[in-house]
Amino acid sequence: MQEHGMTPEYGFARSVSSCLIGMLPEGFYDRVKEGSIVIKRTKTSFTFCEDGLVLDDGAGGERVPADLVILATGFLGDQKLRDMFVSPRMKEIVAGSPDTTVPLYRECVHPRIPQMAVVGYAENLTNIHACEMMAKWVARLVDGAFRLPSVRRMEESVAEWGRYMRRSSGPEHFRRSCLGAVNIWYNDQLCRDMGCDPRRKKGLLAEWFQPYGAVDYADIR
């Protein structure tokens, strides 16, 4: 990563606890060395030109020829939440303040907008499994299997999670909650809410020594 100028500004521990870590395709750096993948970093902005892009727009901008440009636009999730509402009050409260994580109870329901559920906003190292667990929790909530606690208790839970996030990752890097370091704990909470046993293994030894995975929660409907 140092050789190609890709070293991040944050350390490995923060990357893991903030879900700011990804898996590269096999042979990625081999393709970089042979020139079939060209890495370009921009500190400020980019603009389009007739034959591609100009990085760091201005007199000294670098021109990058490109036939196809793919824009990864899934980052400003808090703004997308705001844009769902017409009411200025709802826009104000749904995403919380800029220096905190987005205030979702169990990462799914806003304490003051309990009629709306958000599935998949929180990050995880295995997002498909996390979204499936959230969807099961929301389905049981809608089905009346359990009730949400009071607004005060939900906001206390959200605040506790926010303190953890600020301690482990820092709000300057990440407003979404990350479940990567506490995935089993999070699933335990969902299981208790749904009336399911959080201990999913068969036997004490398995519970202590076998790793947890998606298959352990497959029977929850």
Side-chain angles (χ1 to χ4, degrees), residues 82-135:
R82 293 188 182 96
D83 291 342
M84 292 174 63
F85 294 94
V86 175
S87 166
R89 174 59 178 163
M90 291 297 188
K91 287 178 177 288
E92 178 184 351
I93 69 173
V94 67
S97 61
D99 59 346
T100 64
T101 55
V102 173
L104 296 176
Y105 176 70
R106 296 291 193 257
E107 308 306 320
C108 293
V109 174
H110 193 290
R112 296 189 178 273
I113 316 175
Q115 301 89 344
M116 179 186 74
V118 180
V119 174
Y121 188 83
E123 291 282 347
N124 197 358
L125 300 180
T126 54
N127 277 343
I128 294 177
H129 171 51
C131 291
E132 184 178 10
M133 288 297 294
M134 293 176 191

Side-chain angles (χ1 to χ4, degrees), residues 38-182:
V38 180
I39 299 173
K40 298 288 184 180
R41 300 186 66 175
T42 175
K43 294 182 178 179
T44 55
S45 63
F46 71 89
T47 57
F48 290 99
C49 58
E50 290 184 358
D51 60 347
L53 299 171
V54 178
L55 303 182
D56 296 329
D57 190 21
E62 180 182 1
R63 201 178 191 95
V64 180
D67 297 321
L68 175 67
V69 177
I70 299 175
L71 300 178
T73 59
F75 299 106
L76 299 178
D78 52 346
Q79 185 60 47
K80 291 180 174 64
L81 289 177
R82 293 188 182 96
D83 291 342
M84 292 174 63
F85 294 94
V86 175
S87 166
R89 174 59 178 163
M90 291 297 188
K91 287 178 177 288
E92 178 184 351
I93 69 173
V94 67
S97 61
D99 59 346
T100 64
T101 55
V102 173
L104 296 176
Y105 176 70
R106 296 291 193 257
E107 308 306 320
C108 293
V109 174
H110 193 290
R112 296 189 178 273
I113 316 175
Q115 301 89 344
M116 179 186 74
V118 180
V119 174
Y121 188 83
E123 291 282 347
N124 197 358
L125 300 180
T126 54
N127 277 343
I128 294 177
H129 171 51
C131 291
E132 184 178 10
M133 288 297 294
M134 293 176 191
K136 291 178 178 181
W137 185 88
V138 171
R140 290 210 176 191
L141 172 63
V142 173
D143 198 39
F146 64 94
R147 298 179 62 182
L148 294 173
S150 66
V151 172
R152 179 178 179 180
R153 286 185 59 190
M154 287 193 287
E155 289 182 337
E156 288 174 350
S157 175
V158 168
E160 181 181 9
W161 185 257
R163 288 191 294 270
Y164 160 76
M165 284 301 301
R166 286 194 295 274
R167 181 176 69 250
S168 62
S169 62
E172 70 275 12
H173 290 296
F174 204 65
R175 286 207 65 207
R176 293 186 180 186
S177 294
C178 176
L179 306 175
V182 290

